[in-house]
Amino acid sequence: MRIRDLREDSDLTQQQIADYLHVKQNTYSQYESERRQIPLEILIALARYYKTSVDYLLGLTDQRKPYP
């Protein structure tokens, strides 16, 4: 999962992303550490936020650009 790398590359804190997603920081931390499964709506929100695809977030493709 690439959400930690994307967050760090954007110089954002877990709290900032958690606030954007309307979840608690510790919940978001569990998403990053893969201790909690990310709900589909959260994956979609993250893909939109980082302007990428859900497939990229999940490591299914190395193509960062979203699908046309």
Side-chain angles (χ1 to χ4, degrees):
M1 183 107 30
R2 295 179 164 137
I3 61 174
R4 175 177 286 160
D5 293 336
L6 287 169
R7 178 182 58 78
E8 289 175 348
D9 290 349
S10 299
D11 293 323
L12 297 168
T13 65
Q14 286 184 345
Q15 186 64 57
Q16 288 171 305
I17 298 299
D19 289 346
Y20 169 77
L21 297 172
H22 305 289
V23 299
K24 293 182 179 183
Q25 182 274 327
N26 66 334
T27 300
Y28 180 76
S29 174
Q30 291 174 356
Y31 295 155
E32 277 194 359
S33 64
E34 299 184 30
R35 287 181 293 169
R36 178 181 283 209
Q37 189 171 9
I38 303 176
L40 184 57
E41 63 270 12
I42 297 290
L43 274 174
I44 292 169
L46 287 168
R48 287 183 177 149
Y49 184 83
Y50 291 118
K51 297 176 178 58
T52 191
S53 68
V54 170
D55 284 354
Y56 179 78
L57 293 179
L58 296 174
L60 299 174
T61 182
D62 290 330
Q63 186 78 343
R64 187 166 175 180
K65 289 186 177 184
Y67 300 117

